[in-house]
Amino acid sequence: MDTRHGVIISALLIVTMTTARVSSEQNYTIERLLLFTKNDVMVESFTNFTVGVRPKSVIQENAVVYFTTDNVHTAVALNEINITGEILSTEELSVSALDPGVAALHACEKNTTAQQQLNLKEAYLRVSVVRSKALHIVNIVIGWVYFIAWSVSFYPQIYTNFKRKSVVGLSFDFVAYNLTGFTVYSLFNIGMYSIPTVQSQYRDVNPGGVNPVQLNDVVFSIHALFATVLTAIQIFLYERGNQKLTIPSIVLIGCGWVFALISLALAAGGVITWFRFLNFISYVKLGVTLVKYIPQAYMNYKRQSTQGWSIGNVLLDFTGGTMSLLQMMLIAYNFNDWKSVFSDLTKFGLGMFSVLFDILFITQHYCLYRNKPASTAGYQPIASSMNSAA
């Protein structure tokens, strides 16, 4: 009995000591953490600035820290940092901002042993170098302008459907394409904006590049999906005549989803990165944008009228598209990063093609079919059908 008790006590002592050692090592690592006073800085090109660096708590020995950069053309550290043992103080790191772009500075400890090594996991500084801070503010304002214009653009059509209690004149193919397009576009924006792994993989492909997805892109895509779902519900609730989805649209939408699911399987299996997966499904959105306006333009042509298709939707969409293109150009200029314009084909294509088709719709509404009643061939208006029935 005494032997068994001795074994149990010994085991408990071993577990306690092991736990205490692990806890002590974890505390030691946390205590030796080296931090920047701020991790993100935006400055104008060809200027010098300083930023504070300090250990989280007092360390026992002296340490010398130097800093590497992943973009020597954009930002470089000008000095090393001497951390004095047993004194808790903030040291100043001088940084030179050079050409516009984005660079990351990482801390490295000099002439050290494994026992003396600092915890440098959080010791990094992201430097965004721009031509003009004022232009950066202008870009933010433009982003919210086109976000508002594009977001509001869905509601004239929704209101028109509600007022007429009819969706005759609205292409169902257009709505179906939007459902697919805004679903994958929302996934793309959420992933690029909020998932660190995807952002890291993006930087690997585009070293020093600027993430082209902003907060307003994320909010817009989710709201656009909601508004499109609401429009789709109206199709089931209101008079729709003999309109229906066409076979070519069903086939194209189906191919888009098959491509997206195959890409998802490849990413889940580690064949491609998650950034590449998001990039692939962004091509689905680009393809949707290329073709989604065609059914509506053809319907307007066939009916020789834009009745049932809200011009308010078109004008607001045109405003949003031009503002989106302008923002991309200004960001590329400010960061001297023109590759970001063409690496984000979804956003660039969305703006360009929507503008071109909006010009076509404006021409149809105000020039070609102005004040023309809708043709009754295949798309008979409600009022006419009621009169015929009477």
Side-chain angles (χ1 to χ4, degrees):
M1 181 67 69
D2 292 339
T3 301
R4 287 200 298 268
H5 286 167
V7 171
I8 293 173
I9 293 173
S10 298
L12 289 174
L13 287 173
I14 292 173
V15 171
T16 302
M17 292 174 64
T18 302
T19 303
R21 186 181 65 183
V22 171
S23 176
S24 176
E25 290 176 351
Q26 289 176 342
N27 290 335
Y28 179 76
T29 301
I30 293 174
E31 288 175 356
R32 298 179 61 81
L33 190 66
L34 191 68
L35 302 170
F36 277 93
T37 52
K38 50 187 173 182
N39 291 111
D40 288 277
V41 177
M42 176 173 287
V43 295
E44 295 186 344
S45 57
F46 302 106
T47 59
N48 294 341
F49 66 94
T50 60
V51 61
V53 183
R54 61 175 178 81
K56 184 178 179 63
S57 58
V58 174
I59 62 175
Q60 299 303 315
E61 69 286 331
N62 297 339
V64 179
V65 180
Y66 67 96
F67 299 85
T68 61
T69 177
D70 63 0
N71 189 349
V72 295
H73 301 293
T74 296
V76 293
L78 297 179
N79 61 289
E80 298 176 342
I81 295 296
N82 295 304
I83 306 297
T84 305
E86 300 183 353
I87 298 177
L88 184 61
S89 62
T90 299
E91 304 297 330
E92 295 293 331
L93 173 67
S94 296
V95 180
S96 179
L98 304 172
D99 294 326
V102 177
L105 302 183
H106 296 275
C108 302
E109 192 170 1
K110 193 174 184 179
N111 300 327
T112 184
T113 64
Q115 289 75 20
Q116 296 174 327
Q117 190 172 13
L118 290 166
N119 180 358
L120 304 176
K121 183 178 180 181
E122 302 296 328
Y124 68 90
L125 177 68
R126 177 183 170 88
V127 184
S128 299
V129 182
V130 295
R131 297 181 190 271
S132 169
K133 285 186 177 181
L135 188 57
H136 176 70
I137 296 174
V138 170
N139 284 331
I140 295 175
V141 173
I142 289 175
W144 286 106
V145 168
Y146 82 70
F147 158 72
I148 294 172
W150 265 345
S151 298
V152 175
S153 71
F154 293 96
Y155 292 98
Q157 186 64 59
I158 293 173
Y159 176 73
T160 297
N161 297 340
F162 171 76
K163 185 177 180 180
R164 297 170 67 234
K165 295 296 187 289
S166 169
V167 291
V168 173
L170 171 64
S171 170
F172 295 175
D173 292 343
F174 174 76
V175 178
Y177 281 128
N178 269 342
L179 278 175
T180 294
F182 287 126
T183 297
V184 296
Y185 190 45
S186 296
L187 292 175
F188 174 83
N189 284 336
I190 292 171
M192 286 290 292
Y193 185 79
S194 61
I195 300 179
T197 300
V198 173
Q199 295 169 348
S200 175
Q201 292 168 353
Y202 172 80
R203 288 192 293 270
D204 290 340
V205 176
N206 301 279
V210 183
N211 189 339
V213 177
Q214 307 295 317
L215 175 60
N216 50 282
D217 295 312
V218 178
V219 177
F220 162 74
S221 58
I222 295 174
H223 173 264
L225 180 59
F226 164 77
T228 303
V229 170
L230 186 58
T231 305
I233 292 173
Q234 288 183 316
I235 290 176
F236 291 97
L237 297 179
Y238 297 148
E239 171 64 35
R240 58 182 180 270
N242 61 352
Q243 293 178 207
K244 58 183 180 181
L245 287 174
T246 63
I247 293 178
S249 294
I250 294 174
V251 171
L252 288 176
I253 292 172
C255 288
W257 279 111
V258 169
F259 175 73
L261 291 174
I262 291 174
S263 300
L264 176 62
L266 292 175
V271 178
I272 61 175
T273 64
W274 286 107
F275 165 68
R276 189 60 62 189
F277 161 69
L278 292 179
N279 207 32
F280 282 168
I281 66 171
S282 75
Y283 295 150
V284 175
K285 171 58 180 171
L286 180 60
V288 164
T289 304
L290 282 169
V291 301
K292 73 175 185 177
Y293 294 105
I294 297 176
Q296 186 65 59
Y298 177 71
M299 175 180 285
N300 294 345
Y301 164 75
K302 187 174 181 180
R303 298 170 71 233
Q304 295 292 292
S305 172
T306 56
Q307 182 179 357
W309 173 242
S310 173
I311 190 61
N313 165 33
V314 175
L315 296 176
L316 287 166
D317 191 59
F318 178 79
T319 301
T322 54
M323 290 295 102
S324 174
L325 291 175
L326 177 61
Q327 185 198 52
M328 291 194 73
M329 297 298 110
L330 291 179
I331 288 176
Y333 168 77
N334 208 20
F335 283 92
N336 194 28
D337 184 25
W338 295 99
K339 290 190 301 182
S340 66
V341 175
F342 303 104
S343 66
D344 185 10
L345 289 178
T346 299
K347 189 174 181 180
F348 182 76
L350 176 66
M352 179 61 71
F353 288 106
S354 66
V355 166
L356 293 177
F357 272 101
D358 286 335
I359 292 173
L360 173 61
F361 288 130
I362 290 171
T363 303
Q364 285 183 324
H365 185 81
Y366 289 109
C367 300
L368 300 178
Y369 313 135
R370 185 175 184 179
N371 299 324
K372 285 188 178 182
S375 169
T376 58
Y379 303 100
Q380 189 173 11
I382 299 175
S384 299
S385 62
M386 291 177 62
N387 292 336
S388 297

